[in-house]
């Protein structure tokens, strides 16, 4: 099975539906700003999670498309607002929405995608009480995303973050997305309660694995040059799992080194290198890598509860996909 | 009937429920930022519209509280984001959310109130298909609010705006709020389709009247001193109904004067005075006042379709209330 081909097939189908859904609208200035990011491509991983989960319970993926659109719009709404908060200039190789359209229109475009996501939810053809149940889960996970975003921002100014707090942050900021996508895809697909629960767990664990692997990739892909990204993360005191592990395990001189350099915006090149070397010495990078692999492995094991099918095979490969990908 | 007393009674009851709904939440930094504005008071006009509409169809107002909370949260979410867009420093005599908590947390707090509004909608105890219907109206009006906000921003850079365009902007930015509040209050209260339609029209017309009266109050309350607000609105080229009327009726030298000064950020004090005098000469201020009064009158006439009751009397006075209030 060629996972890239299978994902692209679904993403292409999804894109056609998304373009249709986002077509038109007045005033054009608002709708153009709102379309800029969601129509700029991307892997459509969240939609794929919901589509393939639906397939895995033998559901009709056409019924899941409105959910998949809603998920992608919420993802894009959070990216637009996060980019304003982080003052990011580029996203998917394009200027961010606030750079291209100005900050006021970008805030408003994000808000529009937020409400359009709910509009799309209402296009799900499903029994009313199931709809309410799915929509309530949708609301709940979006609330967690707001909370996760705040935790992430708060962590930058926090001296110490323990692993539990870190995991809670990435669960809320990232993993709930995959958790809800997989669970709701299974509900709409008509899965049994056991299947729904299994796909919920699959999504959660895959989501956690993805995010931690992202932290790991950031540092390992940048390893040789120890380029701008790692340097900035160390200078900004970014609480990745690697940093959290190191902060919680360093003692004596190592601890003193971290206190002095980690989160010091003026740290010199050789100081950043010292922190990086400490990450290696305390095996923090390995620890993050192994933690990610464990979550991916748990995600895959949970799928034992599903009957064998091509879609199940695809979900297994999708979990592994995260630990193959490059930045 | 003492309208101030009646509104305050409902606002007090509403505030208790709102405080309960917004209590707690993690992380505190986010929830404190999100509570700052909604718990800072205000007249709770939108909740009152929904509560009294429910009363007017002999419904139980307890059932409307979750809707009223949702409306107030959406109102506050738009204020928080609009204040960022407009760079406003004060709101309800307090620092705006972005001034007090920083812009990133303010964007996120607005987003949280947005999603909490949907959470509150799910607390409405009502038949599922009616719920879906009401929630769809909720989604639709929020979408219009985003569109109206964009139109308002776009108008500042537009040379000419006709009256139809202006009315469409305030309908979307403001009036739909009152329209939906009144309509949904009647639906949840179990009103007949005729009653629901009448309260929809009532809310729309009262909302349009309110907003135009606001423009009128801005200029008339500032008349003697011709203070900062009018000066800024003229220098920024703000498209109020007064300005729109004047721009569309000025010819010859008057037109030339407007073209030169209206929207000229560097206009001198005496030039601003000339524009103001032109507003008077072309009866643009009177025109706006009369237009507002007409909408209020229409709103009241529509209520003929409702049986007499104390609540109906209150709605009649509520419509007049807008044209009695001061800034």
């Amino acid at each position: 099975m060629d996972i890239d081909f299978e994902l692209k097939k679904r993403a292409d189908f999804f894109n056609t539906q998304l373009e249709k859904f986002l077509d038109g609208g007045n005033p054009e200035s608002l709708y153009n700003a709102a379309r800029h990011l969601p129509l700029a491509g991307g892997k459509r991983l969240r939609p794929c999670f919901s589509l393939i989960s639906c397939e895995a319970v033998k559901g009709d993926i056409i019924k899941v498309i409105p959910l998949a659109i809603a998920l992608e719009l919420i993802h894009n709404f959070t990216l637009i607002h996060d980019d304003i908060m982080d003052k990011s200039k580029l996203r998917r190789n394009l200027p961010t929405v606030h750079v291209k359209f100005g900050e006021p229109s970008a805030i408003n475009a994000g808000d529009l995608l937020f409400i359009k996501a709910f509009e799309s939810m209402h296009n799900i053809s499903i029994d009313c009480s199931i709809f309410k149940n799915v929509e309530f889960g949708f609301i709940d996970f979006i609330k967690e995303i707001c909370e996760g975003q705040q935790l992430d921002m708060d962590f930058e100014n926090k001296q110490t973050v323990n692993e539990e707090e870190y995991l809670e942050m990435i669960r809320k900021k990232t993993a709930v997305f995959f958790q809800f996508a997989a669970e709701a895809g299974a509900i709409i697909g008509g899965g049994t309660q056991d299947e729904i629960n299994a796909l919920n767990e699959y999504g959660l664990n895959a989501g956690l694995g993805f995010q931690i692997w992202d932290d790991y990739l950031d540092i390992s892909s940048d390893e040789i040059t120890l380029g701008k990204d790692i340097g900035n993360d160390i200078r900004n005191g970014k609480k990745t799992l690697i940093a959290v592990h190191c902060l919680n395990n360093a003692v004596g001189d190592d601890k003193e080194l971290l206190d002095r350099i980690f989160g010091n915006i003026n740290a010199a090149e050789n100081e950043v290198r010292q922190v990086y070397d400490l990450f290696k010495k305390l095996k923090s990078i390995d620890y993050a890598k192994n933690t990610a692999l464990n979550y991916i492995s748990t995600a895959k094991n949970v799928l034992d509860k599903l009957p064998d099918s091509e879609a199940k095979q695809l979900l297994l490969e999708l979990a592994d996909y995260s630990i193959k990908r490059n930045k």
Side-chain angles (χ1 to χ4, degrees), chain A:
Chain A
M1 187 177 286
D2 180 345
I3 175 97
D4 287 308
F5 174 78
E6 293 295 332
L7 290 181
K8 188 171 181 311
K9 196 168 77 180
R10 283 160 185 82
D12 287 346
F13 175 62
F14 170 79
N15 285 338
T16 312
Q17 308 295 320
L18 180 68
E19 278 165 35
K20 225 184 282 175
F21 184 74
L22 288 180
D23 195 35
N26 263 309
E28 264 199 8
S29 51
L30 174 61
Y31 282 84
N32 285 340
R35 275 187 289 262
H36 176 69
L37 187 61
L39 299 190
K43 292 207 190 72
R44 312 302 189 193
L45 273 186
R46 291 153 189 82
C48 282
F49 263 71
S50 62
L51 294 173
I52 305 168
S53 287
C54 172
E55 294 172 58
V57 299
K58 318 248 175 292
D60 176 2
I61 65 164
I62 295 290
K63 283 179 75 177
V64 188
I65 284 291
L67 170 82
I69 290 176
L71 289 166
E72 188 65 15
L73 295 184
I74 291 296
H75 177 49
N76 280 270
F77 134 71
T78 63
L79 293 177
I80 292 172
H81 281 189
D82 288 4
D83 283 341
I84 299 171
M85 300 183 206
D86 300 341
K87 302 189 189 302
S88 303
K89 302 281 179 234
L90 279 177
R91 165 83 61 188
R92 293 178 190 156
N93 291 320
L94 290 173
T96 48
V97 179
H98 65 279
V99 166
K100 190 172 163 88
F101 297 90
E103 198 177 299
S105 290
I107 294 175
N108 206 20
D111 294 340
L112 182 75
L113 293 182
F114 196 151
I115 199 66
K116 292 282 288 180
F118 277 92
E119 186 181 293
S120 187
M121 290 296 285
H122 271 254
N123 290 334
I124 302 174
S125 300
I126 202 165
D127 175 81
C128 196
S129 68
I130 301 177
F131 168 79
K132 264 190 94 169
N133 180 22
V134 171
E135 199 194 45
F136 194 75
F138 187 66
I139 291 166
D140 206 51
F141 107 79
I142 297 170
K143 198 171 69 178
E144 295 205 295
I145 282 176
C146 293
E147 293 168 356
Q149 169 64 10
Q150 193 71 36
L151 287 173
D152 196 16
M153 295 194 293
D154 291 354
F155 281 3
E156 291 206 3
N157 303 313
K158 234 181 132 182
Q159 205 64 30
T160 54
V161 171
N162 64 36
E163 187 170 329
E164 197 184 338
E165 291 170 320
Y166 167 83
L167 290 174
E168 179 69 353
M169 184 275 283
I170 63 162
R171 183 185 70 76
K172 285 185 164 179
K173 191 173 167 168
T174 305
V176 286
F177 235 126
F178 296 94
Q179 180 179 19
F180 178 75
E183 181 190 28
I187 295 173
I188 296 170
T192 64
Q193 194 57 51
D194 281 349
E195 289 173 328
I196 292 165
N197 293 345
L199 284 160
N200 171 315
E201 272 191 74
Y202 165 79
L204 172 64
N205 284 283
L208 290 167
F210 276 27
Q211 185 57 49
I212 297 169
W213 192 263
D214 222 53
D215 287 356
Y216 166 72
L217 266 189
D218 272 340
I219 206 155
S220 63
S221 66
D222 212 21
E223 193 160 38
I224 300 156
T225 55
L226 207 67
K228 215 175 104 229
D229 290 344
I230 302 185
N232 282 347
D233 283 357
I234 289 174
R235 290 189 184 94
N236 289 326
K238 189 167 176 203
K239 306 294 189 301
T240 63
L241 183 57
I242 296 162
V244 166
H245 179 270
C246 191
L247 285 164
N248 286 302
N249 287 282
V251 290
D253 288 350
D254 292 343
K255 176 94 176 64
E256 187 276 328
L257 177 84
L258 275 181
D259 286 348
R260 192 161 43 81
I261 302 172
F262 188 73
N264 175 356
I265 201 76
N266 299 313
E269 199 69 24
N270 70 319
E271 292 179 315
V272 167
R273 166 71 63 182
Q274 284 176 295
V275 170
Y276 176 74
D277 289 342
L278 190 59
F279 286 170
K280 287 206 130 176
K281 177 180 153 194
L282 297 185
K283 300 199 185 309
S284 301
I285 298 175
D286 285 345
Y287 180 76
K289 180 182 178 182
N290 289 330
T291 306
L293 292 176
N294 281 339
Y295 279 117
I296 296 300
S297 165
T298 304
K300 289 165 72 179
N301 288 339
V302 168
L303 293 182
D304 286 349
K305 293 172 190 164
L306 295 184
D308 287 336
S309 68
E310 271 190 41
K312 175 176 164 178
Q313 190 55 36
L314 196 49
L315 288 173
L316 288 166
E317 296 200 22
L318 184 55
D320 278 329
Y321 177 76
S322 66
I323 52 177
K324 283 182 206 151
R325 77 203 152 106
N326 296 315
K327 286 304 278 186

